[in-house]
Amino acid sequence: MSYATMGRELSIPANPNPFDAPVRGTGSVALLCALAVEHGLHRRDVLTGGGIPEEALEDPAAEITGAQELRAIAAIAESLPEDAGLVAGERYRLASYGIWGFALLSSRTLREGHEVAMRFVDLTYALTRVSAQEEDEEVRLFFDDLDVPEHVRRFVLLRDTSAALQLWRETLGRPVVPLRVALRLPRPADPTPYQTAFGVPPRFGAARSTLVFDAALLDQPLPQAAPLTAALCEAQCRDLLQRRHSRLGTSGRVRDLLVHSGGRILGQEEVAAELHVSVRTLRRMLRDEGTTFRAIVEQTREHLAEELLVTAGLSVEQVARRLGYTDASTFVHAFGRWKGVSPGRWRDANNGHP
């Protein structure tokens, strides 16, 4: 979830940590395999790295985790050119995403399609946390990478941002150029491929990776609008996401409830009620999965603390209140246990401050 500043018209929270999200299809890995082969690598490098059986690429029902896809990227990223993520992102098409892509394509306006897209963003291949905000006649897409390891961050950020731009272009059926692009990456030796891909020169070294568009684009009618088809696709997206969430296991379902609890940490009794089990049964189910409710709360608080400090820019005191701590000092102590530094120092380091 996200606590980004609300815009006047549109404010869509981020997907939770993509590595805690439900499983995904193998279409993205198939694109990675093709990219690897073009650069003299072997398809098995990608598949072995991700622990993905080769037959999964031929099975439309096959599913993998976000962590598997990340490991597949890590297996080849260092052997690819620095700007390979841009090339990869431009190859993602609406059809690559199955029913999610068709839901966008058949929407009446880009705004409707965008809202559906963000509502079911867990059906995409994003490995960054994606959120959106409309303000001052601009719509801003944020791609937060706090969960992405440093050695694959450039590839993942470039892939996710350029793929998002490609999808806007395909949905509208015409070229689209952002007003601005900011990337939380060091400036490359040659920025020309980046300007070519985005249509504008990106600003490097930014605190957040962002694509900014003219908000008037949101109300553009889509050339392949089909409202009945869009409604059917949206229903199928909902069913698919629900089926994937049901396979998360009890710990995954608990984590999902905590992340989507509207800005507060639910208690054990509330979570048990949401799952229609007793507290005693919930404890047993979590113990069977090798964890506890307290451990999951700690993990969730850590992830949300990162996002609230950097993505939302809240003060330490505000974050402490949001996460259910009795006072700021208790939160500071917990954060130091997680990260080894104070919340303020960690935020400065991750915002690109000196």
Side-chain angles (χ1 to χ4, degrees):
M1 67 193 304
S2 170
Y3 298 95
T5 303
M6 295 289 287
R8 290 197 304 271
E9 303 293 338
L10 173 75
S11 185
I12 301 178
N15 49 318
N17 181 351
F19 311 117
D20 289 335
V23 291
R24 56 185 61 202
T26 57
S28 181
V29 170
L31 291 173
L32 290 172
C33 286
L35 183 67
V37 170
E38 289 174 18
H39 288 278
L41 305 174
H42 296 285
R43 188 163 85 156
R44 66 173 176 272
D45 294 332
V46 179
L47 299 175
T48 302
I52 302 165
E54 190 163 354
E55 57 268 23
L57 296 188
E58 312 302 327
D59 181 2
E63 295 174 329
I64 61 173
T65 65
Q68 283 180 288
E69 183 169 338
L70 188 74
R71 290 197 297 270
I73 292 172
I76 61 171
E78 292 185 0
S79 301
L80 296 175
E82 187 181 58
D83 60 356
L86 292 172
V87 177
E90 290 172 350
R91 298 184 180 185
Y92 285 75
R93 298 290 185 270
L94 289 168
S96 306
Y97 298 88
I99 196 64
W100 181 89
F102 291 116
L104 271 66
L105 198 62
S106 55
S107 297
R108 286 179 294 186
T109 65
L110 182 61
R111 182 184 297 276
E112 288 187 8
H114 183 61
E115 290 175 349
V116 169
M118 297 298 292
R119 193 178 312 136
F120 300 108
V121 71
D122 276 349
L123 297 179
T124 72
Y125 304 116
L127 288 170
T128 53
R129 301 195 194 197
V130 186
S131 56
Q133 177 190 98
E134 183 184 356
E135 192 171 39
D136 299 329
E137 300 182 350
E138 295 180 345
V139 59
R140 299 161 192 164
L141 302 184
F142 300 103
F143 302 83
D144 293 305
D145 59 21
L146 294 176
D147 308 296
V148 181
E150 180 67 33
H151 64 289
V152 292
R153 183 170 296 157
R154 180 177 290 273
F155 184 95
V156 169
L157 265 178
L158 295 180
R159 185 200 68 168
D160 284 7
T161 52
S162 59
L165 177 57
Q166 174 60 37
L167 294 182
W168 273 50
R169 289 169 172 169
E170 187 178 355
T171 303
L172 285 167
R174 60 184 175 84
V176 176
V177 177
L179 299 176
R180 298 185 302 281
V181 174
L183 297 173
R184 200 173 84 93
L185 293 171
R187 182 179 179 84
D190 180 11
T192 305
Y194 299 77
Q195 181 170 346
T196 301
F198 292 111
V200 293
R203 178 170 63 88
F204 294 96
R208 296 180 77 183
S209 297
T210 314
L211 300 184
V212 182
F213 298 92
D214 183 345
L217 289 172
L218 289 173
D219 296 312
Q220 294 291 310
L222 300 185
Q224 299 191 53
L228 290 178
T229 301
L232 177 62
C233 290
E234 183 175 349
Q236 291 181 1
C237 283
R238 187 178 301 109
D239 290 344
L240 177 58
L241 190 60
Q242 187 174 21
R243 289 198 303 272
R244 289 183 174 178
H245 273 291
S246 69
R247 295 196 292 276
L248 282 172
T250 303
S251 57
R253 293 166 67 193
V254 170
R255 189 177 294 108
D256 193 55
L257 284 170
L258 294 174
V259 168
H260 290 91
S261 61
R264 66 186 184 89
I265 296 295
L266 298 178
Q268 190 169 206
E269 293 78 8
E270 294 173 289
V271 170
E274 287 286 340
L275 297 179
H276 306 291
V277 297
S278 67
V279 170
R280 182 176 180 179
T281 299
L282 175 61
R283 287 173 179 163
R284 176 181 55 77
M285 294 166 72
L286 292 175
R287 185 173 64 249
D288 290 344
E289 295 182 9
T291 189
T292 64
F293 184 78
R294 177 176 293 181
I296 296 173
V297 169
E298 279 288 286
Q299 294 164 5
T300 304
R301 278 175 162 165
E302 181 178 354
H303 284 308
L304 291 178
E306 294 174 359
E307 186 173 343
L308 293 171
L309 287 167
V310 174
T311 305
L314 299 186
S315 69
V316 171
E317 291 75 14
Q318 289 171 319
V319 175
R321 286 197 298 272
R322 288 285 182 91
L323 296 183
Y325 288 96
T326 54
D327 53 60
S329 62
T330 305
F331 166 62
V332 171
H333 177 75
F335 197 90
R337 188 173 67 251
W338 301 330
K339 303 295 186 185
V341 296
S342 70
R345 290 186 62 185
W346 185 89
R347 175 174 52 200
D348 288 346
N350 284 274
N351 265 332
H353 294 170

